[in-house]
Amino acid sequence: MKVRLTKKAYILPFIALTSLFSLKVSSIGKKTTGVVTAPPVAVVSAAEMLYEQLSLDSLGLSRDAYFLALKGHEQLLKEGKLRNDDIISIVDFSLPSTKKRLFVIDISTGQLIFNTLVSHGRNSGKQMATSFSNAPESYKSSLGFYATGTTYKGKHGYSLRLEGLERGINDKAMERAIVMHAAAYVNDMLGRKQGYIGRSLGCPALPVNLSRKIIRTIQNGSCLFMYSPDTNYLSRSKFLQQTA
């Protein structure tokens, strides 16, 4: 699914948006017992505008996932960990697997480029992903911030390497071979039939018809954020505890 704002809708706001995203997103929230509070009105206006114009709320993307993704993205930029800095991809595990919970956003143009299904690890849960791990052979998803890497052709075809950037949370992603790839079990029909889509060994697997397009869009150094309202993660992530 692609959603494009009209030129009239975004061209002027994005003069402000680009500067706010690149300079001020790190001040969006303040730490209170591991939970990020609502952002200040002066800073949120541009980010809030994008959230509303793309109807992200009605599409199911939680506000927490969205604003935390922007906060982490800003910190990653400061640390020089991103090369493709216009793209933010968010996997919102607060949604069931039958919902389109992958959101790929181009913040430079104000586009929601993709909104589609994505799998979680088979030991993270059935319909909902509620248990997460960084351990090899756990077959669970790992939360947090990733930088996308290079592509390759493996046993699942065209695939994308993912570098976990959070020590003790997802930094074993390469060792675990956590990658993005196509999977036939990521489809609406299966979800309707059994109440949840197929699950992976921990990889965020994609629908076959969209995987190549998504991978080509987000490859080579963009930000991927896998979110859950998991208090353990929210209190441990260094990227979410940074202050302005």
Side-chain angles (χ1 to χ4, degrees):
M1 170 185 180
K2 292 190 178 182
V3 178
R4 182 186 292 271
L5 298 178
T6 65
K7 184 175 181 180
K8 182 178 180 181
Y10 74 75
I11 189 66
L12 291 178
F14 267 83
I15 296 174
L17 268 173
T18 53
S19 61
L20 281 174
F21 279 131
S22 62
L23 298 175
K24 297 186 177 180
V25 172
S26 62
S27 64
I28 276 179
K30 296 187 180 296
K31 182 173 62 177
T32 55
T33 62
V35 178
V36 177
T37 60
V41 173
V43 175
V44 74
S45 58
E48 182 74 29
M49 184 185 303
L50 180 62
Y51 184 80
E52 293 179 358
Q53 287 181 337
L54 295 182
S55 301
L56 296 177
D57 185 25
S58 64
L59 291 174
L61 178 61
S62 77
R63 299 176 68 84
D64 286 344
Y66 172 74
F67 284 110
L68 291 175
L70 295 180
K71 184 176 177 70
H73 180 268
E74 170 62 13
Q75 189 59 33
L76 292 173
L77 284 176
K78 287 181 178 179
E79 296 184 12
K81 296 186 181 297
L82 301 177
R83 300 190 305 278
N84 182 3
D85 58 4
D86 290 337
I87 302 295
I88 295 182
S89 303
I90 305 170
V91 175
D92 187 353
F93 283 140
S94 70
L95 297 171
S97 68
T98 51
K99 297 294 185 180
K100 294 180 178 180
R101 56 187 180 173
L102 170 64
F103 300 80
V104 180
I105 303 169
D106 186 332
I107 60 174
S108 69
T109 63
Q111 271 187 271
L112 175 61
I113 309 174
F114 298 102
N115 176 211
T116 190
L117 299 173
V118 62
S119 72
H120 58 251
R122 72 186 188 195
N123 286 342
S124 284
K126 285 192 175 181
Q127 184 186 51
M128 300 292 300
T130 57
S131 182
F132 307 95
S133 177
N134 192 37
E137 299 185 11
S138 65
Y139 303 144
K140 293 183 179 183
S141 297
S142 297
L143 297 176
F145 288 91
Y146 297 75
T148 61
T150 56
T151 62
Y152 69 99
K153 288 188 178 180
K155 64 180 180 180
H156 297 293
Y158 190 64
S159 303
L160 177 66
R161 295 180 177 90
L162 300 175
E163 179 187 0
L165 301 175
E166 304 209 53
R167 185 179 299 276
I169 297 173
N170 63 19
D171 61 338
K172 293 187 183 297
M174 289 287 191
E175 177 184 344
R176 296 178 60 201
I178 300 301
V179 301
M180 273 194 164
H181 62 78
Y185 54 73
V186 182
N187 68 76
D188 287 311
M189 186 178 298
L190 182 61
R192 290 193 296 270
K193 180 179 179 179
Q194 63 182 20
Y196 57 93
I197 64 171
R199 295 161 294 164
S200 67
L201 299 184
C203 297
L206 303 170
V208 172
N209 64 322
L210 289 175
S211 63
R212 183 172 289 269
K213 293 178 182 179
I214 292 172
I215 288 171
R216 284 178 171 170
T217 299
I218 72 174
Q219 65 181 330
N220 296 329
S222 73
C223 173
L224 168 65
F225 179 46
M226 297 196 199
Y227 166 80
S228 168
D230 180 88
T231 55
N232 180 53
Y233 168 70
L234 295 175
S235 64
R236 292 173 62 200
S237 173
K238 73 170 186 175
F239 296 117
L240 301 184
Q241 306 315 314
Q242 300 291 333
T243 57

